[in-house]
Amino acid sequence: MPRSTLTAALVAAATACGLLAPPASATSAGSAAPVVTRAALDPALVAGRGATVAFAEQEAENAVTSGTVIGPDRTAYTLPAEASGRKAVRLAPGQHVEFTLPARANAITVRYSIPDAPGGGGITAPLDVTVNGGRRTTMTLTSQYAWLYNQYPFSNDPGAGLLHPDWWITECACVPSATTPPPVIAKPFRPNHFYDEQRLLLGRTYRAGDRVRLTVPAGSKAEWTVIDLLDSELVGPPKIELRAANVLAFGADPTGRRDSARAIDQAIAYAKRKGLKVYLPPGTYQVNRHIIVDDVTITGAGNWYTIVKGREVALPAPAPDGSVHTGVGFYGRPASEGGSRDVHLSDFAIEGDVRERIDTDQVNGIGGAMSDSTIDGLHIRHTKVGMWFDGPMTNLRITNNIIVDQIADAINFHTGVSGSLVSNNFIRNTGDDALAMWSEKSANTGNTIDHNTVQTPVLANGIAVYGGTDNTISGNLVADPIREGSALQVGSRFGAEPFAGRLDITGNTTVRSGTYELNWNIGLGALWFYALERDISADIRVTGNDFLDNTYNAIMLVSEWSVKDLYAIDGVHFKDIRVDGTGTSVVSARVKGSATFENVDARNVGAVGVNNCGSFGFPATGSEFSLTDRGGNDGGWLAPWLLPNTITCDDRPPVVPPPAPSPW
């Protein structure tokens, strides 16, 4: 396709998908009181859930702007759908959005999107920052780490044909390679992963009430700039470690011009001999490969000040594990070699250079196996997966980290991880499951994912548990999954070991979840149980959770059509649940099995309280899935005529958008 034609196609596609079309009016110029939110909600609605963070979130649609509010929209492949709260502000050159600081701050994070290059690969464009009309600082925005297209594992080329013409696709309701005449698939096909974010130290501390204005310069080559939100923060001074192996003494370059990997290796070796920490002072350190860590403590001056940044490097030949690239990362030794122990990483940032998804590549921020270890206070972006651990390994604590803008997951416990904790981490804009426990070949056992915040996973789930024994998901806040996933998934899939013992899903809040499953052409649940490869029959307790503003269902229990008569979901117990708003149902069952419900209160239900298809046998005795009412289920959603197994099968009822959540 000629470049000019492809440019026109990109603009046309963006307009058709709601990327450019402004469906709402802009907020007029003037001053406005700051509106601080959490996951684009009043913080009171999610109190006690999610991570405690140092920054204040302000959505652009609540700020003052000369631009245009886009959204709300939950349709995949649109800019509003991938925005926090499903709204954002579009700026043309010369336009601005202005935020009023809610508290003292000396640093900001801007989440934004700008167009791709016509042939893919991204562009750069300026964004001017002023406070109270004072000195201007110019941020250089980039779309080089955004804009993916096509089918999994995606392409950077907007003009590419189907990656898998032998797959069934929704757009033609067909298998293109098996269809005569073959369908015409519009290009660019399925654009997604639009957003990125940048941080900026403002150089001084500003007061509450001061005004931060973001302006697109009149000469910007970006036809539009979308601002999703601004996080503002008061960052403390750099941390200094005097009794440590300072990497500068071993030749590390804090300007980032020379590669510092060898110097860091030497500092690690020296620190291990002398029983010292390794210290990374303020600066940017170029590292283009893995730093192998074992029995060592590495600390920086704070993740705003110490940045370990690298390029993705093509390997001369594929590695034994299938990698064709390497890049910046801190890796424990492989579990097959005994793994690493007593690794402690804290207070620095890792910035990768990953722009495409190659599943065999080891280009993660943190990797390998690390037992009896801690990871605290890191900021990780632009890697494939923020942290991917291949066990067996035990007793790892991951706390207080920020992981954003990943091509795939944020954190994945893969194979035999036990007794480990993921707590108080903030995650935004992952390209796959944000937090996952994947018990492939060996069960993950006795792990806890607690009080984390997950926002806008572009594909798949906020938190996913694939098999395992005696694990806990508690106190998390998950908002705005985009497509083919849920806020929370319990899945028998991907070769996972069976669920055993007890799984507790306790005290979590989901917001604007329950997405559209592209391949099934149905809406999912904010909480999704999926028996694809075996029964799910452990003791599963779902207690004290809030499911807010569900796009489709709040809770879904399902088996794949091809195995609908083979697998069941039994022994799930729901208690003390609040459901505030569903586009369709409170519970959708597309599987055989059973569940109990106690003190499950629901309001603003879009269609019917229970969509009960069972395993689609439709026997005269009722559905193959039965519900037990243990009392206290308010709101009329679990009416007596639905019990125990009345068939009410309508997978695609009209969707009724729920009202915004409100205090219960």
Side-chain angles (χ1 to χ4, degrees), residues 19 48 128 170 172 208 222 256 319 362 376 434 444 519 567:
L19 301 185
D128 290 342
T170 302
C172 67
Q362 286 286 346
D376 183 80
N444 295 314
N519 300 301
Y567 304 125

Side-chain angles (χ1 to χ4, degrees), residues 247-433:
V247 297
L248 299 183
F250 298 87
D253 177 12
T255 71
R257 288 191 291 266
R258 290 184 290 104
D259 192 293
S260 293
R262 186 169 179 270
I264 295 173
D265 286 342
Q266 291 176 329
I268 290 172
Y270 179 84
K272 291 173 72 171
R273 290 195 304 270
K274 300 294 185 180
L276 299 172
K277 297 179 181 178
V278 173
Y279 176 55
L280 299 165
T284 298
Y285 300 90
Q286 182 188 151
V287 172
N288 304 310
R289 60 167 172 82
H290 300 170
I291 301 294
I292 305 302
V293 289
D294 185 17
D295 188 23
V296 67
T297 297
I298 302 176
T299 190
N303 65 50
W304 281 88
Y305 299 110
T306 299
I307 301 168
V308 183
K309 184 174 183 177
R311 300 187 306 273
E312 186 176 80
V313 177
L315 298 173
D321 62 8
S323 295
V324 294
H325 298 91
T326 190
V328 60
F330 290 78
Y331 274 64
R333 294 188 299 144
S336 60
E337 299 175 9
S340 293
R341 280 179 167 75
D342 293 313
V343 176
H344 305 283
L345 308 175
S346 64
D347 295 320
F348 59 90
I350 300 172
E351 292 193 14
D353 185 37
V354 179
R355 311 180 192 199
E356 59 184 338
R357 178 160 180 168
I358 301 174
D359 283 340
T360 55
D361 272 356
Q362 286 286 346
V363 286
N364 307 317
I366 308 288
M370 299 180 188
S371 294
D372 303 320
S373 298
T374 60
I375 302 171
D376 183 80
L378 302 189
H379 185 282
I380 304 176
R381 68 172 185 152
H382 295 162
T383 57
K384 186 182 79 173
V385 176
M387 304 182 194
W388 180 285
F389 299 98
D390 291 302
M393 51 177 276
T394 189
N395 189 27
L396 172 66
R397 299 179 65 85
I398 302 172
T399 54
N400 308 315
N401 303 285
I402 296 173
I403 305 174
V404 297
D405 304 326
Q406 301 295 301
I407 288 289
D409 305 9
I411 301 172
N412 195 311
F413 284 174
H414 177 230
T415 305
V417 178
S418 64
S420 294
L421 173 70
V422 178
S423 180
N424 208 62
N425 302 283
F426 180 88
I427 296 158
R428 187 161 55 201
N429 194 35
T430 56
D432 212 314
D433 295 332

Side-chain angles (χ1 to χ4, degrees), residues 482-495:
I482 312 303
R483 66 182 179 96
E484 297 176 74
S486 295
L488 307 170
Q489 186 185 122
V490 178
S492 170
R493 56 192 306 202
F494 304 128

Side-chain angles (χ1 to χ4, degrees), residues 571-575 594-598 600 625-630 633 638:
V572 185
H573 308 285
F574 297 91
K575 183 177 180 181
S594 64
T596 68
F597 300 87
E598 181 180 356
V600 177
F625 190 89
S626 63
L627 299 87
T628 299
D629 182 351
R630 289 188 170 173
N633 298 299
L638 193 59

